[in-house]
Amino acid sequence: MTNFLLTPIILPFFTAILLMFAPKKVYYQRVVTLVSLILTTACAVYLIQTIHTEGIQVVTFGNWPEPFGITMVADMVAMLLVTTSVIVALFTVWYSFKSIGIEREKFFYYPGVLLMLTGVNGAFLTGDIFNLFVFFEVLLMASYLLSVLGGEKGQLRESIKYILVNVISSALFVITVAFLYSVVGTLNMADISVKIAELNQPGIITTIGVLFLIVFGLKAAIFPLFFWLPSAYAAPPVPVLALFGALLTKVGVYAITRTYTLFFVHDTGFTHTLLLVLSCLTILAGCIGALSTFNVKNIIIYNIVIAVGVILYGVAQMNEDGLMGAMFYIVHDMFIKAALFFLVGIMIVVTGTANLKKMGGIMRTYPTLAWTYLIAAFGLAGIPPLSGFIGKMLIVEGGLAAGNLWSSLWILLSSLIVLLSVIRIFIYGFWGEAKTLVPKESRTHYKQLLIPSMLLVLLTVAYGVGAEWITPYMQDAAEVLLHPSVYTDAVLKE
Amino acid sequence: MEVVMSFAIGFLFMAAVYLILSKSILRIIIGTGLLSHGAHLLILTMGGLGGEAPPVLADGVTNMADPLPQALILTAIVISFGVTAFFLVLAYRAYQELGTDNLDEIRRILADDD
């Protein structure tokens, strides 16, 4: 039964292997992927409940004693993110049926999605720093496939850039792990935390902390390292973009959160101030980008950058409100980004262009799409009953409690810019003179895209309205993040 | 010995950065190859170059080399091998489709298409 926490990794992995035997049978591919993802979701939800009642679940491969084997740790932080990722992947696969195109479906699209999910879930669940690197590579390899699949010219160019950036950041990751190993002599994350506490964090550990920030910052797109993201994400088709936007940067954010709450907690003056300043600048860069473009995809892509900044601002506070807010916000953001990408994907399908200036009056023909988009846009900006509110409120409270008045005000101000950027899509795209739409040869096609999008938006609304019901789980997560001893005691069983 | 290795690794990193900043895709891939060589040598060096015998259990051997960095390197080598193979094929495909391996040219070709 203790091995049950491996199901979110094993199920997608074996399904991907099964799918590789019959790539041309599209119906088989679709059904098996969907069934496997539903099963994985059920396992993940069951695991959340187990952790809530029985505490952190730990399994070490091969029954080795704790610091020597590879440990998998399912605490509430990891499990909430795993569950969110699996649900987002489920909706993306459903949305893909009508949008990704039969040619891609016949060429290992679904195995690619499942292997990426394997890597993402593994990265969330692992308790070993080198194993984290390996799972990063698993998800990156699958994401290279998904980003280049189809082989359009734009995709080829952007994939070269994307792969190059990630090869460099992976090499940096290996270098950083080598430095860390030479200082503490262990790779188990709980053991590293204990060893750093014994050393009382000398200067070299702070240097390694900054190196980790650079490595994971390249994956998560924080301020000076986000340059590759906008064009690399704009090239692949919309379902792939939704998957990337919802999952990939969040793995980097999770890795920063984990290392900055578990390892580098004894001298927060430098590292966490750096994180705070960079998160504010990340928000600034994202805001400028989101207002600068008339491409609907790019507006939402720059909103990813803003959200990364907001989450890391919550992490940098290192108090209960800030960390709980960051957990609330990261889960919300994964759902809402996927939903928004689905919706602008439908806009691109019905208008035949991604340029906002060429759109107009979609509301006359597609009112349901318009209202769904408006709810999602309000949710993203954080209007009270919806999902973005509680996370941002707690983050700002945490910032004020830590005495960061001006940066907290900046977080609030950025919400207005986020709202402006997404409402611009609504005003230009849905209002105004009706412009030429792609002839609707089949309304059913449009409906099949709209149903998963609407359900995902409904889920975010439920997440916002039911915040009180979710709070105990978020408190568990904040507890683990705030007190590294909870994590290390569970793993090392002293 | 560690100091000599550090200089060698630093030189590899320097060459890698120089090559990665060039315009030809092939030079960039050679740069990533050098970068991964540097990273792998760095793991070996940071694990400590002490120990006389290889980490294989045999009678009468007491002073073995640290086995953990060697396992890490082996993993990192196959991963970077896989990524490099993919990257090379991608560069080949990009050359076929776009007709050039110069990154500035590729930017110009795609700007004309828009």
Side-chain angles (χ1 to χ4, degrees):
Chain A
M1 198 57 200
T2 47
N3 290 340
F4 191 75
L5 72 93
L6 300 176
T7 45
I9 306 170
I10 288 174
L11 274 175
F13 181 59
F14 279 107
T15 316
I17 293 173
L18 279 180
L19 290 180
M20 287 192 194
F21 288 111
K24 307 292 175 202
K25 292 189 175 140
V26 174
Y27 189 71
Y28 163 79
Q29 299 264 322
R30 289 179 180 179
V31 171
V32 173
T33 311
L34 211 54
V35 169
S36 144
L37 284 173
I38 290 168
L39 271 177
T40 317
T41 312
C43 292
V45 171
Y46 176 75
L47 264 167
I48 283 195
Q49 208 52 44
T50 315
I51 294 165
H52 187 56
T53 49
E54 293 169 25
I56 297 173
Q57 303 286 306
V58 180
V59 60
T60 303
F61 293 156
N63 274 337
W64 291 92
E66 247 60 42
F68 301 113
I70 290 177
T71 314
M72 288 291 176
V73 187
D75 62 351
M76 194 50 92
V77 185
M79 220 44 234
L80 281 170
L81 294 175
V82 165
T83 313
T84 315
S85 312
V86 178
I87 293 173
V88 167
L90 177 64
F91 278 101
T92 311
V93 163
W94 187 2
Y95 185 87
S96 303
F97 291 164
K98 284 294 160 196
S99 62
I100 195 76
I102 214 89
E103 286 308 312
R104 285 191 173 94
E105 283 184 290
K106 282 184 178 171
F107 219 89
F108 302 104
Y109 170 73
Y110 295 114
V113 171
L114 288 168
L115 285 174
M116 201 175 99
L117 192 66
T118 310
V120 169
N121 287 348
F124 288 142
L125 286 174
T126 188
D128 183 286
I129 196 79
F130 196 76
N131 200 231
L132 179 66
F133 164 73
V134 174
F135 275 119
F136 260 115
E137 290 301 312
V138 171
L139 75 90
L140 285 173
M141 276 300 259
S143 76
Y144 302 155
L145 166 79
L146 291 177
S147 100
V148 80
L149 190 62
E152 295 157 17
K153 283 182 179 177
Q155 278 183 301
L156 286 172
R157 181 179 110 95
E158 296 307 330
S159 298
I160 289 174
K161 196 157 79 184
Y162 178 67
I163 293 179
L164 180 61
V165 167
N166 280 302
V167 165
I168 293 169
S169 82
S170 297
L172 268 176
F173 196 173
V174 172
I175 291 164
T176 314
V177 169
F179 284 146
L180 189 60
Y181 179 69
S182 77
V183 178
V184 296
T186 177
L187 295 167
N188 183 303
M189 276 152 73
D191 203 27
I192 292 172
S193 172
V194 172
K195 292 271 160 48
I196 288 177
E198 282 168 8
L199 292 169
N200 205 13
Q201 195 161 346
I204 183 73
I205 293 287
T206 305
T207 314
I208 292 169
V210 175
L211 272 172
F212 268 127
L213 189 61
I214 294 171
V215 170
F216 297 135
L218 262 169
K219 320 252 185 207
I222 63 171
F223 168 64
L225 309 168
F226 71 96
F227 54 87
W228 56 274
L229 181 130
S231 54
Y233 276 21
V238 170
V240 176
L241 168 60
L243 212 53
F244 282 13
L247 306 189
L248 290 194
T249 50
K250 305 306 179 294
V251 183
V253 173
Y254 163 79
I256 292 176
T257 311
R258 183 62 90 193
T259 48
Y260 272 61
T261 53
L262 192 61
F263 297 172
F264 312 111
V265 288
H266 305 284
D267 181 19
T268 54
F270 183 71
T271 47
H272 287 64
T273 311
L274 181 69
L275 190 61
L276 190 141
V277 172
L278 287 182
S279 64
C280 287
L281 289 172
T282 308
I283 297 170
L284 179 67
C287 287
I288 293 171
L291 293 180
S292 72
T293 173
F294 274 92
N295 183 317
V296 282
K297 273 191 195 175
N298 279 343
I299 292 175
I300 312 293
I301 287 171
Y302 278 110
N303 272 296
I304 299 175
V305 179
I306 301 176
V308 165
V310 172
I311 298 162
L312 289 179
Y313 181 81
V315 173
Q317 305 311 323
M318 283 306 278
N319 52 26
E320 200 190 343
D321 280 346
L323 289 169
M324 208 165 112
M327 281 309 296
F328 258 113
Y329 202 79
I330 195 170
V331 173
H332 142 79
D333 192 63
M334 287 162 88
F335 283 136
I336 202 85
K337 284 289 144 56
L340 279 168
F341 281 124
F342 289 174
L343 291 168
V344 299
I346 300 175
M347 286 174 77
I348 293 170
V349 167
V350 299
T351 58
T353 173
N355 189 338
L356 215 43
K357 284 181 175 165
K358 292 180 186 160
M359 294 181 187
I362 304 176
M363 196 174 220
R364 292 163 206 272
T365 340
Y366 299 98
T368 330
L369 176 66
W371 294 117
T372 315
Y373 177 80
L374 192 67
I375 293 170
F378 282 167
L380 180 72
I383 304 239
L386 298 169
S387 59
F389 170 69
I390 180 104
K392 209 171 261 180
M393 186 192 77
L394 286 169
I395 287 173
V396 170
E397 268 182 17
L400 291 175
N404 300 313
L405 176 65
W406 289 106
S407 48
S408 302
L409 288 177
W410 171 228
I411 302 284
L412 290 176
L413 188 67
S414 76
S415 301
L416 288 179
I417 301 178
V418 167
L419 185 62
L420 175 62
S421 72
V422 282
I423 285 300
R424 273 193 345 159
I425 298 182
F426 190 74
I427 291 172
Y428 281 89
F430 290 100
W431 284 358
E433 286 291 305
K435 291 182 183 165
T436 47
L437 297 171
V438 169
K440 41 180 179 187
E441 69 277 42
S442 62
R443 284 280 290 212
T444 53
H445 177 77
Y446 153 77
K447 273 188 188 141
Q448 278 161 336
L449 290 178
L450 190 63
I451 291 166
S453 322
M454 279 180 77
L455 282 176
L456 196 54
V457 173
L458 206 64
L459 195 66
T460 67
V461 173
Y463 180 78
V465 175
E468 200 165 340
W469 184 72
I470 302 163
T471 304
Y473 301 91
M474 294 294 172
Q475 270 166 345
D476 284 4
E479 174 80 7
V480 176
L481 290 176
L482 202 56
H483 305 290
S485 58
V486 176
Y487 183 94
T488 53
D489 287 351
V491 175
L492 299 173
K493 298 190 188 93
E494 278 155 341
Chain B
M1 191 58 195
E2 275 88 351
V3 176
V4 180
M5 285 297 281
S6 303
F7 273 103
I9 294 160
F11 189 78
L12 280 174
F13 284 159
M14 184 191 76
V17 170
Y18 178 75
L19 284 169
I20 287 170
L21 291 176
S22 60
K23 279 178 188 158
S24 150
I25 297 179
L26 215 51
R27 276 166 167 267
I28 289 173
I29 298 177
I30 294 171
T32 60
L34 289 182
L35 188 66
S36 62
H37 285 330
H40 299 155
L41 284 176
L42 187 75
I43 306 181
L44 198 66
T45 313
M46 296 312 269
L49 295 173
E52 275 150 19
V56 180
L57 272 181
D59 288 336
V61 176
T62 48
N63 188 14
M64 280 191 245
D66 188 352
L68 197 55
Q70 303 190 11
L72 302 188
I73 293 171
L74 198 60
T75 313
I77 285 173
V78 289
I79 288 174
S80 75
F81 183 67
V83 174
T84 308
F86 190 92
F87 202 175
L88 280 167
V89 174
L90 180 64
Y92 180 60
R93 275 281 288 153
Y95 179 69
Q96 279 184 324
E97 284 287 314
L98 304 164
T100 175
D101 82 328
N102 185 314
L103 287 179
D104 277 353
E105 294 278 327
I106 290 176
R107 183 200 297 260
R108 206 169 303 134
I109 290 165
L110 285 167
D112 291 345
D113 282 357
D114 286 340

